[in-house]
Amino acid sequence: MRTWVRPDGRRFAHGEPDGELPPGELFASADAADTERLAALAALAFEPLRRELHLLLPVTVPRVAAPEGIRLLHADEVPERELRLLDDELRQDVPGTDGWRWRPEDFRAETYESPQYDAAVYLVAAVGDEAVAIARVWLRPERPRLGFVGTRRELRRRGISRWLLGEAFAVLRERGHAEISTEVDEANVASRTLLDAIGGRRIGAAVELRRGPAVTIRAASAGDVEALAALAARTWLDAFGDSLPPAEAAAEIERTRSPERFRRALAERTVLVAEREGRLAGYAELSDGELERLYVDMPLHGHGIGARLAAAALAHPRLARAERVRLQVWERNERALRLYERLGFRRGGVVRFTLGDGTPAEDVLMELES
């Protein structure tokens, strides 16, 4: 099987199941009726995680009046960056895609450059000049597909999604289409209620499976400070411990990797932690426009935890809305440099410093334009 990393940091396997799989958390999918593939994945220790229902919807849904204060835009009337960031934001509440963050070039390729894109059925709701909701239809050759419909949290329960669907379906009716396909997570009660109300009928299902210990990303709390300090000290010693005399190393850890420092960090910045099997596996610290630190426990390198943490950090509002995200990476940390380059960061200048043994070293300055 081959693997690829989605914009939410999750690594997916595709192709015929076999034993050549990387370590760590890994996802795969299968048609719910494909018992042979499901059995092959189960033999590789994949376990069902969630189900996605496949539906057909009639496009006879009548149009309704626009909710008060809401106006209709088409995708080509919304700045690309604004549309991309809204797409990222809305995906955070979709089961299975939390942490999603498009790279600008990928969003452009999957949207405007796609042969299935048509701005007439890629609709956006706006309050004033601010985009707040999306209804996205892809014009597939066999049948149109509703790829996504969603509204910002603070504006839900006002009928915006239902209104957008009515406007998009009116265009499809005019073009001679009778039905449209879509998918919805079985546990997504709000979306299922909306789609059931407009006549959706089930035609199949897919199963998402996971192999390996689950990785959970969450905000750090005061109860994490001791574990954060211990992990920070371990990772720092792995990287720099040999370059300083023991007394200097101990002083550096006390100064920058103590529980007290993490208590201050929780008050001043945002700290995200990755958990695996109930234990702290890594953390990221971020402030407005800057990813200050991202560390994964050394024994867990290569398990995809850094990619999940980075994706979650970049999807956080402190970074997601920044024009540029900055960070520094030690020049010798090739693993981290490759990870950030895959996420779209570009190398800039350097910051020079001296290790404890007098050896000159450099941090690479990296930037991501969002």
Side-chain angles (χ1 to χ4, degrees):
M1 300 181 80
R2 292 167 292 172
T3 67
W4 63 288
V5 179
R6 289 196 325 193
D8 56 7
R10 291 172 170 85
R11 181 174 292 277
F12 270 76
H14 61 99
E16 293 300 317
D18 58 40
E20 299 297 322
L21 297 173
E25 189 180 40
L26 187 64
F27 297 84
S29 61
D31 190 290
D34 190 346
T35 56
E36 184 176 340
R37 179 174 174 81
L38 288 169
L41 290 169
L44 294 172
F46 281 91
E47 297 180 347
L49 178 64
R50 64 185 190 91
R51 287 171 61 88
E52 193 170 70
L53 305 180
H54 295 174
L55 307 176
L56 278 182
L57 311 172
V59 299
T60 53
V61 179
R63 300 168 81 172
V64 296
E68 185 178 357
I70 306 297
R71 66 191 185 100
L72 182 69
L73 297 173
H74 296 89
D76 57 1
E77 299 175 296
V78 180
E80 179 180 334
R81 180 176 182 273
E82 182 179 353
L83 185 62
R84 172 170 52 81
L85 293 179
L86 177 60
D87 186 283
D88 286 343
E89 179 183 337
L90 296 179
R91 284 177 185 265
Q92 305 312 308
D93 294 328
V94 176
T97 61
D98 54 289
W100 191 284
R101 187 183 188 279
W102 283 110
R103 294 196 306 169
E105 58 269 31
D106 292 338
F107 180 77
R108 192 173 307 117
E110 294 291 328
T111 303
Y112 309 104
E113 297 171 5
S114 168
Q116 300 174 13
Y117 165 78
D118 186 332
V121 286
Y122 193 143
L123 304 183
V124 180
V127 176
D129 293 328
E130 185 176 12
V132 298
I134 290 172
R136 178 173 60 240
V137 174
W138 299 120
L139 296 180
R140 290 183 167 181
E142 65 276 14
R143 181 189 292 118
R145 172 178 171 264
L146 175 62
F148 183 79
V149 59
T151 302
R152 280 186 173 167
R153 294 178 187 177
E154 67 271 19
L155 292 172
R156 290 173 190 166
R157 302 183 185 277
R158 291 183 54 184
I160 297 173
S161 292
R162 171 65 181 76
W163 167 66
L164 283 175
L165 289 179
E167 295 299 310
F169 287 9
V171 176
L172 295 176
R173 287 198 302 273
E174 292 171 2
R175 297 184 181 185
H177 296 288
E179 293 181 313
I180 182 171
S181 66
T182 194
E183 303 85 34
V184 61
D185 188 281
E186 193 172 43
N188 192 338
V189 176
S191 292
R192 287 186 63 189
T193 300
L194 171 64
L195 297 176
D196 287 346
I198 61 178
R201 71 180 192 277
R202 179 175 167 178
I203 58 171
V207 181
E208 184 176 292
L209 305 98
R210 182 177 61 210
R211 178 181 187 267
V215 175
T216 302
I217 311 295
R218 62 171 175 80
S221 68
D224 295 312
V225 295
E226 296 288 344
L228 282 166
L231 188 149
R234 288 197 304 273
T235 55
W236 185 86
L237 283 170
D238 286 335
F240 296 104
D242 293 341
S243 67
L244 288 175
E248 286 187 45
E252 174 66 14
I253 288 174
E254 179 61 28
R255 184 176 68 83
T256 63
R257 289 154 182 85
S258 65
E260 182 55 37
R261 194 200 72 80
F262 278 100
R263 290 188 185 93
R264 292 195 302 271
L266 289 178
E268 298 168 0
R269 292 183 287 281
T270 296
V271 182
L272 302 178
V273 298
E275 284 186 324
R276 183 176 182 267
E277 297 184 308
R279 298 180 59 184
L280 191 71
Y283 73 93
E285 287 186 49
L286 44 144
S287 56
D288 294 337
E290 185 166 2
L291 180 55
E292 298 185 12
R293 294 172 181 83
L294 192 154
Y295 293 112
V296 173
D297 214 358
M298 185 69 78
L300 297 177
H301 283 185
H303 287 250
I305 296 170
R308 288 286 302 278
L309 255 180
L314 292 171
H316 191 278
R318 299 195 79 158
L319 300 185
R321 294 275 164 180
E323 292 285 346
R324 286 181 175 81
V325 178
R326 302 173 301 278
L327 58 82
Q328 292 183 202
V329 185
W330 189 31
E331 61 173 342
R332 299 184 192 177
N333 194 344
E334 287 295 333
R335 182 188 295 273
L337 290 168
R338 289 195 300 270
L339 168 64
Y340 294 128
E341 287 177 334
R342 287 200 304 271
L343 292 169
F345 281 86
R346 298 291 178 262
R347 302 191 193 202
V350 298
V351 174
R352 295 180 175 85
F353 61 97
T354 302
L355 298 175
D357 62 1
T359 304
E362 293 180 348
D363 274 349
V364 179
L365 297 176
M366 306 189 79
E367 279 195 350
L368 172 68
E369 291 190 7
S370 62

